[in-house]
Amino acid sequence: MSDLGIFGVLGVPEAAGRAVDFVERTLAPLLEYDAAHDGRLVATLATYLAAGRSRSQAAAELHVHVNTIGSRLTRIGALLGDDWSSVERVLGLQMALQLLPLLSDNQSDVS
């Protein structure tokens, strides 16, 4: 739970499974797309949001053209729905992105 930072304060150890479910539900379309297409949508979304929704800053950090960021954001919108960039959805996406490492931790526990 200490690996969860502020999110660890919000729950108990049993909450980790619910956090994994939340991440999977929230990011599933992007994770599936990235897996099927060797894509970078999750990384693009994380970088874009961390950059304060600046396309140019995200492009610089990812070493791609700003138009590439625009294309990826369009794809993200198509996969997540038109409201993906609303305040409420962005908050959920940011939380899911912060919790994303739980997926790999959880999957390695199963293997």
Side-chain angles (χ1 to χ4, degrees):
M1 288 299 283
S2 64
D3 291 342
L4 297 179
I6 187 64
F7 298 109
V9 174
L10 301 176
V12 294
E14 296 80 27
R18 287 184 297 224
V20 169
D21 291 341
F22 169 73
V23 171
E24 289 175 341
R25 278 192 325 273
T26 304
L27 298 177
L30 304 183
L31 294 168
E32 291 168 6
Y33 181 91
D34 282 356
H37 299 94
D38 195 28
R40 305 271 303 143
L41 297 184
V42 172
T44 299
L45 179 61
T47 303
Y48 172 71
L49 294 177
R53 297 186 186 190
S54 168
R55 291 180 184 206
S56 59
Q57 186 175 342
E61 290 182 33
L62 292 173
H63 307 288
V64 297
H65 194 275
V66 70
N67 290 347
T68 300
I69 298 297
S71 295
R72 290 178 185 176
L73 292 175
T74 298
R75 173 69 59 179
I76 288 167
L79 293 169
L80 295 181
D82 291 336
D83 70 335
W84 78 270
S85 62
S86 70
V87 172
E88 296 84 9
R89 288 287 305 275
V90 166
L91 177 59
L93 290 166
Q94 288 174 318
M95 290 177 64
L97 289 165
Q98 291 295 315
L99 293 168
L100 186 57
L102 285 177
L103 283 180
S104 57
D105 291 348
N106 186 271
Q107 290 170 354
S108 65
D109 290 344
V110 174
S111 314

